[in-house]
Amino acid sequence: MSTEVLIGEVRRQLREGGLRGCVLVRDLHSGDEVGIDADTALPSASLVKVPLALATAERVRRGELDGAATLDVRPGRSTAPGPTGLTRFRHPARIAVDDLLYLSTCLSDERAADALFELTPPARVNAILREFGVRGISVRHTVDELSDTPVERFGTGQAHLAHALAIDAGTSGRGHRVPQLDTTRANTGSARAWVDLLAALWAPVAIPAATAESVRGLMLHNVLRQRLTPDFASDATTWWSKTGTLLNLRHEIGVVEHADGGAFAVAVLTESLVPAASQPGADALMGQAARTLRDHLRQL
């Protein structure tokens, strides 16, 4: 099947499954890539925790932060479905910077991420990204704002109303009545920008090797594995990843390395058109789309 026909088929499958998808898969050795709307910027949701981890790890390497230093962290006390770690804690905790990095990146713990943002604010994270030549990713706010969405304001059993608002309240220019979904105000990135960041971490040139290794190590231990992992994890592969979920947004970025030496960076960013919080079929469809494009690249 030609690349053009394959892209059309994957786009159709995503659309029929209720998803608008921005996808890019790149062979990290040859640079060959295939994708769908890869330059469209979408709100990053929890993907922003990867640039945060990069900036924090780099500041530890420079000696600006001490990874062993402990911080008193306020509990999140979240009662909404979904949040993990400190975000659900009921009482304050004292935790080291290195362990906050683990919680933020591997468990996608929002309270841990905000504790790190207090040390390295969004503007500083942006500056470090630019210093390393990473373009196309904008970090504008902390993740605390991600927990103040219509989902938290509607009553139990009304999540579908929040998702309906997320689907219907956007503009043609990607503005949105929900601030976290407005690309002029939210943390944003395109599939291409996320793949560029992954490529910079896997073959570090501007990024110091020790810093890149730290971030890769965190992504290796991501515990949220319901989305692309089933299509990329096996005894003959290793899968590094980070997910992002916010209202009708479902994202995942990652790198798959094969026992034969092949390595592919993957970014799948989606907007669901179905007003429902639980959509395991959408997760499966994302993995199917990414694997189809990866398989095509391997055959070229």
Side-chain angles (χ1 to χ4, degrees):
M1 185 182 296
S2 72
T3 299
E4 293 75 14
V5 172
L6 179 72
I7 289 174
E9 177 64 15
V10 171
R11 191 192 299 272
R12 180 191 64 78
Q13 291 173 354
L14 289 170
R15 184 174 61 249
E16 290 183 354
L19 295 176
R20 282 195 293 255
C22 301
V23 186
L24 187 66
V25 181
R26 180 183 299 168
D27 186 324
L28 290 178
H29 296 316
S30 70
D32 293 338
E33 60 183 34
V34 60
I36 299 169
D37 297 334
D39 295 304
T40 299
L42 291 178
S44 301
S46 287
L47 296 184
V48 74
K49 293 165 186 169
V50 177
L52 174 61
L54 170 62
T56 305
E58 173 60 11
R59 294 191 66 207
V60 169
R61 187 197 68 83
R62 293 176 183 180
E64 298 174 4
L65 297 174
D66 180 358
T70 57
L71 303 177
D72 292 323
V73 183
R74 300 185 308 276
R77 296 198 176 101
S78 174
T79 58
T84 59
L86 296 171
T87 307
R88 303 199 76 85
F89 272 31
R90 311 302 296 172
H91 307 286
R94 178 167 292 182
I95 302 180
V97 170
D98 284 341
D99 294 328
L100 288 169
L101 265 174
Y102 167 75
L103 291 170
S104 172
T105 312
C106 303
L107 274 69
S108 207
D109 184 337
E110 294 177 4
R111 188 66 200 93
D114 276 333
L116 296 175
F117 267 128
E118 290 174 13
L119 299 174
T120 308
R124 184 71 192 281
V125 175
N126 262 333
I128 291 174
L129 287 176
R130 302 301 173 259
E131 180 183 337
F132 291 152
V134 177
R135 310 291 177 188
I137 295 172
S138 295
V139 183
R140 298 185 174 103
H141 59 74
T142 66
V143 298
D144 180 62
E145 297 184 31
L146 300 181
S147 62
D148 183 22
T149 72
V151 167
E152 287 72 35
R153 301 181 188 184
F154 285 106
T156 303
Q158 295 182 310
H160 64 285
L161 298 177
H163 284 260
L165 177 63
I167 294 165
D168 296 334
T171 70
S172 59
R174 293 208 167 270
H176 207 286
R177 289 170 59 190
V178 178
Q180 296 90 340
L181 301 179
D182 186 334
T183 56
T184 66
R185 292 185 283 176
N187 301 322
T188 59
S190 65
R192 185 175 306 283
W194 291 111
V195 165
D196 287 345
L197 174 57
L198 293 172
L201 289 168
W202 257 255
V205 177
I207 300 174
T211 300
E213 183 179 4
S214 294
V215 178
R216 294 197 306 268
L218 291 166
M219 294 180 67
L220 178 62
H221 296 291
N222 177 25
V223 302
L224 302 176
R225 303 173 67 81
Q226 80 279 12
R227 199 157 283 165
L228 302 189
T229 302
D231 281 278
F232 287 113
S234 76
D235 289 347
T237 63
T238 304
W239 172 243
W240 292 258
S241 63
K242 179 70 189 79
T243 58
T245 308
L246 175 66
L247 292 170
N248 68 322
L249 301 180
R250 286 171 172 77
H251 306 330
E252 186 159 351
I253 62 173
V255 169
V256 58
E257 291 188 359
H258 299 273
D260 63 5
F264 298 83
V266 180
V268 183
L269 316 180
T270 69
E271 298 172 297
S272 175
L273 303 178
V274 179
S278 179
Q279 296 183 47
D283 292 336
L285 188 56
M286 290 171 63
Q288 178 184 330
R291 180 163 182 169
T292 297
L293 296 183
R294 190 285 314 270
D295 290 348
H296 181 71
L297 278 181
R298 291 189 82 186
Q299 295 167 4
L300 292 179

